[in-house]
Amino acid sequence: MAFPGSHHRADGRFQNPWPNATPPGFRDLLRWRLDRLLRPPPAGADPATFPRATPRFGLARSNGAVAVTWIGHSTGIIEVGGKTILTDPV
C-alpha cells in the first residue's frame, strides 16, 4: 500500500518523486564545490559543545544482558549472547 506523498509504489518498489528532473552535471559539481570553499560555514552549534558519552564495551557479555551502542549515523554495536556485532548498512 502506498501512502500519499510516498516515494514507493503500491508494490513496494521505489519511484523517483521527480521523474522529469535533470541530474546535476560536472559543472554543477564544480560550482557547488567552489561555493563551499569560498563561503564561510553557516552559523550553528559548535560540535565541541555536544554531550558525549564514553561507551562501556563488554558489559553485555559479563552479565548476559543485551547492549546496543550507537557509534554514529547508521553504525552501531550490538552485544548479545557473548557475541559482538558491528552494524554498518552502508
Side-chain angles (χ1 to χ4, degrees), residues 5-6 10 12 15 19-21 24 26 33-36 38 49 53 57 62 65 67 88-89:
S6 174
Q15 70 180 13
N20 298 324
F26 186 68
R33 189 65 189 133
L34 184 63
D35 184 57
R36 296 279 299 187
L38 296 179
T49 64
F57 301 113
S62 64
D88 190 353

Side-chain angles (χ1 to χ4, degrees), residues 1-2 26-27 29-30 34 47 58 60 75 80:
M1 171 182 188
F26 186 68
R27 176 178 272 166
L29 172 68
L30 290 177
L34 184 63
T75 304
V80 60

